[in-house]
Amino acid sequence: MRPILEVILSLLAVAGLLSLSWLLLGRILTPAGNGEILSLVPGKGDGESLEQSVRGLLWLRGGGMLSGDVVIVDCGLTTTGRAVAAALCLREPGVEVCNASQLQVYIKRKADE
C-alpha cells in the first residue's frame, strides 16, 4: 500500500511542478510586459473575422498578458461590417472603431492621455 501512495504523491508533485513551470513561463513570455499596448485590428468587407480577432485580444487582456485598448481600423468595412464593429464596441469595454484616415490623429490623442 505504501509504494502505491508514494507513486501517487510523486505523480502529483510532478504535475504540480509542471503546472507551476507552465504558468511562470507564460508570465515571462507575455508579449506586453507591463506597458500598455494599442492593438489594431484591420476591418475589411463584412467583418467576417472581426469578432474572432477582437475576442482573441480580449482573451489575452483578460488573462493579464496584454493591457490596453483594442481599436478596429475601418479599412473598407461595408454596412454589415460597420454593424459588427459597432456591436463589438457596445458589448466589450475598451474596444473602439477608427477610420483608417483618422488613425494617426487617434494614436497621437491616445499617446497624450
XYZ file of all heavy atoms in Angstrom:
826
model
N 0.825 -1.193 0.000
C 0.000 0.000 0.000
C 0.872 1.260 0.000
O 0.556 2.225 -0.679
C -0.920 -0.060 1.220
C -1.845 1.113 1.339
S -3.082 1.019 0.055
C -4.191 2.247 0.593
N 1.961 1.220 0.777
C 2.820 2.392 0.873
C 3.489 2.740 -0.465
O 3.565 3.915 -0.826
C 3.857 2.169 1.977
C 4.730 3.376 2.188
C 5.689 3.158 3.335
N 6.658 4.206 3.348
C 6.742 5.134 4.283
N 5.897 5.104 5.292
N 7.665 6.051 4.226
N 3.979 1.745 -1.226
C 4.582 2.097 -2.523
C 3.585 2.761 -3.486
O 3.958 3.639 -4.256
C 5.062 0.764 -3.090
C 5.201 -0.137 -1.915
C 4.190 0.326 -0.920
N 2.333 2.351 -3.427
C 1.319 2.951 -4.296
C 1.112 4.414 -3.916
O 1.018 5.291 -4.786
C -0.004 2.158 -4.206
C 0.192 0.762 -4.797
C -1.121 2.884 -4.944
C -0.990 -0.158 -4.634
N 1.041 4.713 -2.630
C 0.892 6.094 -2.175
C 2.089 6.943 -2.574
O 1.933 8.104 -2.965
C 0.710 6.140 -0.651
C -0.681 5.771 -0.135
C -0.689 5.735 1.381
C -1.692 6.762 -0.643
N 3.280 6.379 -2.491
C 4.484 7.122 -2.882
C 4.464 7.444 -4.375
O 4.843 8.550 -4.785
C 5.729 6.332 -2.515
C 6.007 6.294 -1.022
C 7.237 5.481 -0.679
O 7.921 4.992 -1.606
O 7.507 5.347 0.524
N 4.005 6.510 -5.188
C 3.922 6.741 -6.625
C 2.892 7.831 -6.918
O 3.133 8.748 -7.721
C 3.576 5.433 -7.376
C 3.207 5.707 -8.821
C 4.739 4.456 -7.296
N 1.727 7.749 -6.261
C 0.676 8.749 -6.479
C 1.157 10.125 -6.043
O 0.971 11.120 -6.752
C -0.617 8.332 -5.739
C -1.233 7.113 -6.415
C -1.628 9.479 -5.726
C -2.404 6.513 -5.678
N 1.782 10.235 -4.883
C 2.296 11.519 -4.408
C 3.387 12.059 -5.328
O 3.459 13.262 -5.572
C 2.803 11.400 -2.975
C 1.716 11.265 -1.906
C 2.350 11.025 -0.530
C 0.837 12.487 -1.876
N 4.226 11.178 -5.825
C 5.275 11.608 -6.756
C 4.661 12.155 -8.046
O 5.097 13.194 -8.558
C 6.199 10.445 -7.094
O 6.869 9.995 -5.944
N 3.653 11.473 -8.566
C 2.984 11.944 -9.785
C 2.286 13.279 -9.548
O 2.340 14.175 -10.400
C 1.986 10.901 -10.285
C 2.591 9.629 -10.870
C 1.493 8.620 -11.203
C 3.414 9.943 -12.102
N 1.652 13.443 -8.399
C 1.012 14.709 -8.071
C 2.042 15.831 -7.936
O 1.806 16.964 -8.378
C 0.184 14.588 -6.793
C -1.118 13.796 -6.922
C -1.762 13.620 -5.550
C -2.068 14.474 -7.877
N 3.179 15.536 -7.345
C 4.234 16.545 -7.204
C 4.773 16.954 -8.574
O 4.990 18.139 -8.843
C 5.352 16.015 -6.319
N 4.982 15.997 -9.441
C 5.464 16.295 -10.789
C 4.434 17.129 -11.548
O 4.785 18.111 -12.226
C 5.801 14.991 -11.552
C 6.015 15.244 -13.031
C 7.031 14.338 -10.942
N 3.161 16.758 -11.439
C 2.112 17.522 -12.117
C 2.059 18.950 -11.577
O 1.894 19.909 -12.341
C 0.758 16.833 -11.941
N 2.206 19.123 -10.278
C 2.207 20.458 -9.691
C 3.383 21.289 -10.168
O 3.235 22.468 -10.482
N 4.560 20.692 -10.237
C 5.741 21.410 -10.712
C 5.613 21.785 -12.189
O 6.010 22.877 -12.596
C 6.997 20.578 -10.490
C 7.486 20.507 -9.038
C 8.645 19.525 -8.917
C 7.902 21.880 -8.561
N 5.056 20.889 -12.986
C 4.846 21.207 -14.398
C 3.849 22.348 -14.565
O 4.049 23.247 -15.396
C 4.367 19.971 -15.162
C 5.421 18.913 -15.455
C 4.777 17.679 -16.074
C 6.489 19.465 -16.370
N 2.778 22.337 -13.779
C 1.793 23.417 -13.852
C 2.406 24.753 -13.449
O 2.186 25.779 -14.100
C 0.596 23.110 -12.948
O -0.050 21.949 -13.370
N 3.163 24.748 -12.376
C 3.816 25.972 -11.918
C 4.820 26.475 -12.951
O 4.879 27.675 -13.241
C 4.508 25.725 -10.577
C 5.203 26.919 -9.945
C 4.179 27.998 -9.612
C 5.951 26.493 -8.699
N 5.577 25.578 -13.534
C 6.541 25.963 -14.576
C 5.824 26.547 -15.786
O 6.274 27.538 -16.368
C 7.375 24.757 -15.006
O 8.104 24.250 -13.920
N 4.719 25.946 -16.168
C 3.942 26.434 -17.312
C 3.435 27.853 -17.055
O 3.520 28.720 -17.925
C 2.783 25.482 -17.571
C 1.934 25.882 -18.732
C 0.753 26.542 -18.695
C 2.224 25.660 -20.114
N 0.278 26.742 -19.972
C 1.157 26.210 -20.851
C 3.267 25.042 -20.790
C 1.118 26.161 -22.232
C 3.216 25.000 -22.164
C 2.157 25.558 -22.871
N 2.909 28.107 -15.862
C 2.414 29.438 -15.525
C 3.544 30.470 -15.495
O 3.398 31.582 -15.998
C 1.699 29.410 -14.177
C 0.355 28.697 -14.154
C -0.172 28.599 -12.724
C -0.642 29.413 -15.040
N 4.670 30.109 -14.903
C 5.791 31.046 -14.837
C 6.364 31.332 -16.217
O 6.702 32.474 -16.533
C 6.872 30.505 -13.907
C 6.507 30.478 -12.419
C 7.612 29.814 -11.615
C 6.228 31.872 -11.904
N 6.479 30.311 -17.040
C 6.980 30.508 -18.397
C 6.031 31.404 -19.191
O 6.461 32.294 -19.925
C 7.153 29.173 -19.107
C 7.732 29.235 -20.517
C 9.171 29.736 -20.474
C 7.673 27.880 -21.180
N 4.728 31.200 -19.024
C 3.747 32.052 -19.698
C 3.858 33.495 -19.253
O 3.734 34.420 -20.045
N 4.114 33.715 -17.967
C 4.248 35.084 -17.453
C 5.524 35.730 -17.975
O 5.532 36.916 -18.310
C 4.253 35.045 -15.921
C 4.350 36.373 -15.263
C 3.284 37.338 -15.660
N 1.992 36.969 -15.139
C 0.867 37.587 -15.434
N 0.882 38.622 -16.229
N -0.263 37.189 -14.948
N 6.586 34.966 -18.082
C 7.856 35.508 -18.579
C 7.741 35.890 -20.054
O 8.279 36.900 -20.494
C 8.992 34.474 -18.381
C 9.320 34.343 -16.906
C 10.236 34.865 -19.161
C 10.263 33.192 -16.586
N 7.008 35.100 -20.817
C 6.924 35.308 -22.261
C 5.757 36.181 -22.693
O 5.452 36.252 -23.880
C 6.816 33.954 -22.973
C 8.033 33.045 -22.819
C 7.787 31.723 -23.505
C 9.278 33.706 -23.357
N 5.105 36.853 -21.756
C 3.988 37.719 -22.146
C 4.477 38.789 -23.109
O 5.526 39.401 -22.901
C 3.335 38.391 -20.926
O 4.325 39.057 -20.176
C 2.611 37.396 -20.076
N 3.715 39.036 -24.159
C 4.189 39.958 -25.182
C 4.243 41.413 -24.751
O 5.040 42.171 -25.239
C 3.183 39.779 -26.322
C 1.974 39.215 -25.686
C 2.441 38.435 -24.491
N 3.403 41.827 -23.806
C 3.305 43.237 -23.493
C 4.120 43.659 -22.284
O 4.419 44.826 -22.130
C 1.846 43.615 -23.265
N 4.455 42.737 -21.434
C 5.131 43.125 -20.211
C 4.224 43.977 -19.359
O 3.063 43.653 -19.161
N 4.714 45.105 -18.881
C 3.906 45.978 -18.043
C 3.399 47.205 -18.784
O 2.658 47.993 -18.218
C 4.717 46.426 -16.831
C 5.010 45.268 -15.908
O 4.245 44.324 -15.840
N 6.125 45.333 -15.207
N 3.816 47.405 -20.003
C 3.400 48.587 -20.756
C 2.021 48.411 -21.359
O 1.513 47.305 -21.507
N 1.416 49.513 -21.729
C 0.106 49.467 -22.362
C 0.280 49.481 -23.867
O 1.055 50.261 -24.410
C -0.742 50.654 -21.910
C -2.150 50.567 -22.408
C -3.087 51.455 -21.624
O -2.907 51.556 -20.410
O -3.977 52.024 -22.257
N -0.478 48.624 -24.527
C -0.361 48.468 -25.974
C -1.687 48.809 -26.625
O -2.748 48.441 -26.122
C 0.041 47.024 -26.339
C 1.462 46.776 -25.898
C -0.125 46.765 -27.814
C 1.976 45.420 -26.239
N -1.631 49.496 -27.740
C -2.807 49.784 -28.532
C -2.853 48.735 -29.645
O -2.004 48.729 -30.534
C -2.715 51.194 -29.113
C -3.925 51.737 -29.818
C -5.090 51.861 -28.848
C -3.610 53.081 -30.420
N -3.802 47.832 -29.568
C -3.902 46.744 -30.543
C -4.824 47.164 -31.676
O -5.967 47.559 -31.447
C -4.459 45.487 -29.875
O -3.646 45.107 -28.795
N -4.328 47.073 -32.897
C -5.094 47.473 -34.078
C -5.554 46.232 -34.831
O -4.765 45.346 -35.136
C -4.239 48.338 -35.006
C -3.655 49.609 -34.402
C -2.779 50.313 -35.412
C -4.751 50.527 -33.907
N -6.849 46.193 -35.131
C -7.429 45.093 -35.895
C -7.998 45.682 -37.183
O -8.931 46.486 -37.125
C -8.550 44.386 -35.095
C -9.180 43.283 -35.915
C -8.023 43.853 -33.784
N -7.450 45.332 -38.334
C -7.992 45.884 -39.582
C -9.342 45.255 -39.914
O -9.504 44.040 -39.856
C -6.938 45.515 -40.623
C -6.224 44.342 -40.044
C -6.298 44.480 -38.556
N -10.308 46.097 -40.227
C -11.638 45.622 -40.595
C -11.883 45.849 -42.069
O -11.767 46.958 -42.567
N -12.214 44.776 -42.780
C -12.462 44.856 -44.218
C -13.745 44.111 -44.553
O -14.096 43.135 -43.886
C -11.315 44.216 -45.006
C -9.988 44.882 -44.803
C -8.897 44.134 -45.544
C -7.548 44.747 -45.231
N -6.448 43.981 -45.791
N -14.417 44.565 -45.573
C -15.604 43.864 -46.065
C -16.708 43.776 -45.028
O -17.038 44.745 -44.358
N -17.271 42.581 -44.900
C -18.372 42.358 -43.965
C -17.899 42.089 -42.543
O -18.716 41.826 -41.671
C -19.231 41.177 -44.436
C -20.071 41.529 -45.656
O -20.293 42.733 -45.885
O -20.493 40.608 -46.366
N -16.604 42.119 -42.299
C -16.071 41.921 -40.960
C -16.214 40.489 -40.473
O -16.512 40.249 -39.304
N -15.979 39.530 -41.370
C -16.136 38.119 -41.015
C -15.209 37.693 -39.884
O -15.589 36.919 -39.026
C -15.872 37.206 -42.226
C -16.828 37.383 -43.378
C -16.330 38.415 -44.378
O -15.163 38.833 -44.318
O -17.138 38.828 -45.229
N -13.998 38.195 -39.873
C -13.024 37.755 -38.873
C -12.871 38.744 -37.717
O -12.033 38.532 -36.839
C -11.667 37.533 -39.542
O -11.181 38.765 -40.055
N -13.657 39.801 -37.718
C -13.512 40.824 -36.671
C -13.759 40.269 -35.277
O -12.973 40.486 -34.361
C -14.488 41.973 -36.921
C -14.007 43.124 -37.770
C -15.080 44.191 -37.839
C -12.725 43.685 -37.261
N -14.856 39.571 -35.115
C -15.214 39.093 -33.776
C -14.169 38.133 -33.232
O -13.768 38.225 -32.080
C -16.585 38.427 -33.783
C -17.024 38.059 -32.378
C -18.490 37.686 -32.291
O -19.180 37.653 -33.322
O -18.933 37.439 -31.169
N -13.685 37.231 -34.071
C -12.671 36.278 -33.623
C -11.380 36.993 -33.233
O -10.777 36.690 -32.206
C -12.402 35.246 -34.710
C -11.384 34.206 -34.299
C -11.139 33.185 -35.399
O -11.647 33.311 -36.498
N -10.354 32.183 -35.085
N -10.950 37.957 -34.012
C -9.727 38.690 -33.713
C -9.851 39.496 -32.425
O -8.971 39.481 -31.575
C -9.369 39.630 -34.867
O -9.168 38.919 -36.044
N -10.971 40.196 -32.289
C -11.180 41.027 -31.100
C -11.304 40.158 -29.859
O -10.717 40.448 -28.815
C -12.415 41.936 -31.290
C -12.805 42.616 -29.996
C -12.135 42.968 -32.366
N -12.046 39.072 -29.965
C -12.208 38.199 -28.798
C -10.881 37.550 -28.395
O -10.633 37.338 -27.216
C -13.280 37.153 -29.065
C -14.674 37.777 -29.084
C -15.757 36.773 -29.403
N -15.971 35.773 -28.386
C -16.701 35.951 -27.283
N -17.253 37.118 -27.070
N -16.872 34.966 -26.436
N -10.027 37.249 -29.360
C -8.705 36.715 -29.030
C -7.869 37.723 -28.252
O -7.222 37.382 -27.266
N -7.895 38.966 -28.694
C -7.162 40.011 -27.978
C -7.760 40.257 -26.596
O -7.033 40.487 -25.618
C -7.152 41.304 -28.791
C -6.278 41.270 -30.039
C -6.542 42.494 -30.901
C -4.815 41.178 -29.668
N -9.080 40.200 -26.493
C -9.723 40.376 -25.194
C -9.411 39.216 -24.265
O -9.295 39.391 -23.051
C -11.239 40.535 -25.363
C -11.681 41.819 -26.041
C -13.181 41.799 -26.282
C -11.281 43.034 -25.226
N -9.263 38.020 -24.811
C -8.879 36.861 -24.001
C -7.476 37.059 -23.434
O -7.228 36.775 -22.265
C -8.955 35.594 -24.855
C -8.603 34.356 -24.115
C -9.387 33.646 -23.251
C -7.352 33.656 -24.186
N -8.692 32.565 -22.779
C -7.448 32.546 -23.335
C -6.173 33.875 -24.879
C -6.397 31.653 -23.169
C -5.138 32.983 -24.710
C -5.264 31.880 -23.855
N -6.562 37.552 -24.267
C -5.214 37.855 -23.784
C -5.247 38.944 -22.716
O -4.549 38.863 -21.711
C -4.320 38.302 -24.942
C -3.869 37.227 -25.911
C -3.128 37.856 -27.076
C -2.997 36.212 -25.218
N -6.071 39.948 -22.934
C -6.188 41.034 -21.960
C -6.792 40.526 -20.652
O -6.360 40.905 -19.570
C -7.031 42.163 -22.544
C -7.005 43.416 -21.701
C -7.639 44.565 -22.404
N -9.079 44.398 -22.466
C -9.892 45.235 -23.060
N -9.422 46.303 -23.662
N -11.172 45.028 -23.076
N -7.772 39.655 -20.746
C -8.396 39.087 -19.555
C -7.442 38.223 -18.757
O -7.547 38.138 -17.529
N -6.507 37.575 -19.430
C -5.520 36.741 -18.754
C -4.331 37.521 -18.221
O -3.410 36.947 -17.658
N -4.344 38.826 -18.401
C -3.253 39.654 -17.907
C -2.026 39.660 -18.799
O -0.980 40.156 -18.409
N -2.137 39.104 -20.001
C -0.994 39.056 -20.897
C -0.901 40.273 -21.808
O 0.080 40.446 -22.502
C -1.060 37.798 -21.745
C -0.859 36.546 -20.955
S -0.840 35.133 -22.032
C -2.231 34.242 -21.396
N -1.936 41.076 -21.824
C -1.989 42.230 -22.700
C -2.776 43.310 -21.985
O -3.769 43.028 -21.326
C -2.708 41.829 -23.999
C -2.597 42.710 -25.207
C -1.152 42.757 -25.685
C -3.464 42.188 -26.324
N -2.306 44.530 -22.078
C -3.064 45.630 -21.484
C -3.233 46.714 -22.534
O -2.382 46.896 -23.399
C -2.340 46.177 -20.258
O -1.080 46.703 -20.622
N -4.336 47.413 -22.460
C -4.580 48.472 -23.419
C -5.859 48.259 -24.185
O -6.588 47.290 -23.986
N -6.130 49.193 -25.076
C -7.368 49.173 -25.847
C -7.206 48.395 -27.150
O -6.099 48.214 -27.650
C -7.802 50.605 -26.182
C -8.224 51.379 -24.949
O -8.635 50.737 -23.970
O -8.142 52.609 -24.967
N -8.336 47.959 -27.673
C -8.396 47.300 -28.973
C -9.112 48.257 -29.920
O -10.206 48.728 -29.621
C -9.160 45.962 -28.887
C -9.294 45.330 -30.256
C -8.475 45.016 -27.920
N -8.466 48.568 -31.026
C -9.033 49.506 -31.998
C -9.286 48.767 -33.305
O -8.384 48.163 -33.879
C -8.082 50.698 -32.241
C -8.664 51.638 -33.270
C -7.796 51.425 -30.950
N -10.534 48.813 -33.747
C -10.897 48.257 -35.048
C -10.712 49.375 -36.071
O -11.362 50.412 -35.991
C -12.351 47.759 -35.051
C -12.538 46.655 -33.999
C -12.746 47.268 -36.432
C -13.976 46.265 -33.772
N -9.795 49.180 -37.006
C -9.500 50.187 -38.020
C -10.352 49.887 -39.255
O -10.266 48.809 -39.828
C -7.998 50.186 -38.385
C -7.709 51.261 -39.413
C -7.155 50.383 -37.149
N -11.175 50.843 -39.617
C -12.063 50.702 -40.767
C -11.252 50.850 -42.044
O -10.915 51.946 -42.470
C -13.165 51.758 -40.696
C -14.218 51.576 -41.775
O -13.996 50.791 -42.717
O -15.272 52.229 -41.667
N -10.918 49.724 -42.652
C -10.157 49.704 -43.907
C -11.059 49.264 -45.057
O -10.668 48.443 -45.883
C -8.975 48.750 -43.787
S -7.788 49.167 -42.538
N -12.266 49.798 -45.084
C -13.204 49.434 -46.146
C -14.301 48.506 -45.668
O -14.655 47.560 -46.370
N -14.829 48.747 -44.477
C -15.941 47.937 -43.981
C -17.225 48.301 -44.718
O -17.478 49.462 -45.017
C -16.148 48.183 -42.476
C -15.142 47.552 -41.529
C -15.339 48.074 -40.110
C -15.253 46.046 -41.542
N -18.028 47.304 -44.992
C -19.344 47.540 -45.569
C -20.300 47.921 -44.443
O -19.919 47.996 -43.274
C -19.851 46.272 -46.276
O -19.969 45.228 -45.301
C -18.917 45.834 -47.388
N -21.550 48.145 -44.789
C -22.549 48.475 -43.774
C -22.679 47.347 -42.759
O -22.771 47.583 -41.554
C -23.914 48.731 -44.448
O -23.736 49.715 -45.468
C -24.933 49.219 -43.453
N -22.657 46.119 -43.233
C -22.719 44.965 -42.330
C -21.484 44.922 -41.438
O -21.579 44.663 -40.237
C -22.827 43.660 -43.144
O -23.934 43.750 -44.024
C -22.976 42.461 -42.233
N -20.330 45.171 -42.018
C -19.089 45.172 -41.238
C -19.081 46.258 -40.175
O -18.618 46.047 -39.051
N -19.609 47.429 -40.515
C -19.692 48.516 -39.517
C -20.649 48.142 -38.394
O -20.423 48.487 -37.246
C -20.128 49.810 -40.193
C -19.024 50.458 -40.979
C -19.400 51.879 -41.423
N -18.521 52.266 -42.510
C -18.830 52.186 -43.799
N -20.006 51.742 -44.173
N -17.966 52.550 -44.712
N -21.719 47.438 -38.733
C -22.668 46.995 -37.702
C -22.018 45.980 -36.761
O -22.219 46.030 -35.546
C -23.911 46.394 -38.354
N -21.209 45.080 -37.320
C -20.486 44.108 -36.486
C -19.508 44.836 -35.564
O -19.424 44.546 -34.369
C -19.747 43.075 -37.371
C -18.793 42.225 -36.556
C -20.737 42.200 -38.109
N -18.773 45.795 -36.119
C -17.812 46.563 -35.316
C -18.519 47.357 -34.226
O -18.058 47.406 -33.074
C -17.000 47.487 -36.218
N -19.644 47.955 -34.555
C -20.395 48.724 -33.556
C -20.926 47.820 -32.449
O -20.903 48.192 -31.271
C -21.543 49.471 -34.230
N -21.376 46.630 -32.814
C -21.861 45.683 -31.809
C -20.730 45.254 -30.871
O -20.936 45.131 -29.656
C -22.482 44.465 -32.490
N -19.542 45.040 -31.418
C -18.396 44.679 -30.575
C -18.039 45.816 -29.625
O -17.694 45.589 -28.470
C -17.191 44.319 -31.448
C -17.254 42.968 -32.141
C -16.141 42.851 -33.181
C -17.140 41.851 -31.135
N -18.119 47.043 -30.110
C -17.816 48.204 -29.256
C -18.819 48.339 -28.122
O -18.449 48.693 -27.000
C -17.800 49.482 -30.083
S -16.423 49.581 -31.219
N -20.078 48.075 -28.404
C -21.103 48.178 -27.376
C -20.991 47.055 -26.350
O -21.205 47.252 -25.157
C -22.495 48.150 -28.004
C -22.911 49.403 -28.768
C -24.248 49.181 -29.451
C -22.978 50.597 -27.830
N -20.628 45.875 -26.827
C -20.596 44.702 -25.958
C -19.343 44.629 -25.105
O -19.391 44.196 -23.950
C -20.719 43.440 -26.813
C -20.892 42.176 -26.001
C -21.141 40.983 -26.875
N -19.982 40.740 -27.719
C -20.015 40.037 -28.826
N -21.139 39.527 -29.247
N -18.933 39.842 -29.539
N -18.214 45.037 -25.634
C -16.941 44.871 -24.940
C -16.343 46.224 -24.564
O -16.193 47.089 -25.416
C -15.939 44.123 -25.835
C -16.414 42.781 -26.333
C -16.563 41.741 -25.245
O -16.042 41.956 -24.125
O -17.203 40.720 -25.503
N -15.979 46.414 -23.299
C -15.319 47.669 -22.912
C -13.885 47.719 -23.448
O -13.214 46.698 -23.542
C -15.329 47.625 -21.387
C -15.431 46.174 -21.044
C -16.189 45.531 -22.163
N -13.447 48.902 -23.824
C -12.085 49.059 -24.318
C -11.913 48.738 -25.784
O -10.793 48.590 -26.257
N -13.025 48.607 -26.512
C -12.967 48.356 -27.951
C -13.562 49.579 -28.647
O -14.643 50.030 -28.299
C -13.754 47.084 -28.345
C -13.747 46.889 -29.852
C -13.183 45.869 -27.646
N -12.825 50.111 -29.618
C -13.264 51.306 -30.338
C -13.077 51.103 -31.835
O -12.325 50.238 -32.259
C -12.450 52.521 -29.889
C -12.566 52.818 -28.411
C -11.706 53.993 -27.998
O -11.599 54.947 -28.783
O -11.152 53.941 -26.897
N -13.758 51.938 -32.616
C -13.634 51.908 -34.076
C -13.031 53.228 -34.525
O -13.369 54.287 -34.011
C -15.003 51.703 -34.760
C -14.865 51.744 -36.267
C -15.621 50.400 -34.331
N -12.110 53.154 -35.486
C -11.466 54.352 -36.011
C -11.323 54.191 -37.528
O -11.025 53.095 -38.017
C -10.092 54.519 -35.358
S -9.159 55.917 -35.969
N -11.534 55.270 -38.256
C -11.300 55.249 -39.699
C -9.802 55.208 -39.974
O -9.008 55.787 -39.226
C -11.903 56.487 -40.366
C -13.405 56.436 -40.392
O -13.990 55.366 -40.480
N -14.026 57.592 -40.297
N -9.423 54.568 -41.055
C -8.005 54.468 -41.402
C -7.404 55.851 -41.641
O -6.244 56.096 -41.301
C -7.828 53.586 -42.635
N -8.189 56.768 -42.187
C -7.672 58.110 -42.459
C -7.434 58.904 -41.172
O -6.617 59.817 -41.154
C -8.635 58.863 -43.377
O -9.907 58.978 -42.754
N -8.138 58.576 -40.110
C -8.013 59.289 -38.841
C -7.112 58.555 -37.837
O -7.001 58.975 -36.681
C -9.398 59.469 -38.211
C -10.340 60.309 -39.039
C -9.849 61.742 -39.150
O -9.364 62.313 -38.191
N -9.966 62.319 -40.336
N -6.467 57.492 -38.255
C -5.681 56.666 -37.337
C -4.509 57.431 -36.718
O -4.243 57.314 -35.520
C -5.174 55.417 -38.058
C -4.477 54.374 -37.203
C -5.396 53.898 -36.089
C -4.022 53.212 -38.053
N -3.821 58.229 -37.503
C -2.679 58.986 -36.980
C -3.127 59.957 -35.884
O -2.479 60.068 -34.844
C -1.982 59.738 -38.115
C -0.712 60.420 -37.688
C 0.002 61.058 -38.868
O -0.503 61.076 -39.983
N 1.185 61.577 -38.623
N -4.228 60.640 -36.099
C -4.757 61.571 -35.107
C -5.175 60.812 -33.850
O -4.914 61.240 -32.725
C -5.954 62.358 -35.697
C -6.625 63.219 -34.643
C -5.508 63.175 -36.881
N -5.795 59.648 -34.032
C -6.244 58.831 -32.906
C -5.065 58.381 -32.048
O -5.106 58.454 -30.821
C -7.036 57.631 -33.430
C -7.542 56.731 -32.344
C -8.761 56.988 -31.719
C -6.817 55.623 -31.920
C -9.236 56.173 -30.715
C -7.276 54.809 -30.918
C -8.487 55.090 -30.316
O -8.946 54.278 -29.313
N -4.003 57.929 -32.702
C -2.828 57.442 -31.961
C -2.157 58.592 -31.213
O -1.744 58.438 -30.055
C -1.834 56.749 -32.931
C -2.461 55.434 -33.424
C -0.505 56.479 -32.250
C -1.665 54.749 -34.489
N -2.054 59.757 -31.838
C -1.485 60.913 -31.136
C -2.318 61.300 -29.916
O -1.781 61.610 -28.855
C -1.370 62.110 -32.078
C -0.230 61.998 -33.042
C -0.130 63.226 -33.919
C 1.007 63.071 -34.905
N 1.128 64.228 -35.788
N -3.639 61.250 -30.056
C -4.524 61.582 -28.936
C -4.358 60.572 -27.807
O -4.299 60.949 -26.638
C -5.972 61.609 -29.408
C -6.951 62.004 -28.314
C -8.343 62.259 -28.866
N -8.834 61.251 -29.781
C -9.599 60.213 -29.427
N -9.936 60.059 -28.187
N -10.016 59.374 -30.348
N -4.230 59.301 -28.131
C -4.031 58.263 -27.112
C -2.686 58.412 -26.423
O -2.555 58.162 -25.238
C -4.132 56.865 -27.737
C -5.528 56.393 -27.933
C -6.194 56.207 -26.603
C -7.456 55.421 -26.729
N -8.088 55.162 -25.449
N -1.673 58.815 -27.178
C -0.333 58.997 -26.597
C -0.303 60.166 -25.622
O 0.452 60.157 -24.648
C 0.699 59.194 -27.695
N -1.129 61.170 -25.873
C -1.170 62.335 -24.996
C -1.947 62.089 -23.715
O -1.808 62.847 -22.750
C -1.787 63.531 -25.741
C -0.869 64.024 -26.855
O 0.340 63.746 -26.779
O -1.370 64.690 -27.785
N -2.784 61.056 -23.688
C -3.578 60.765 -22.487
C -2.740 60.252 -21.356
O -1.747 59.700 -21.418
C -4.669 59.739 -22.804
C -5.754 60.297 -23.670
C -6.841 59.260 -23.970
O -6.713 58.107 -23.555
O -7.800 59.622 -24.638
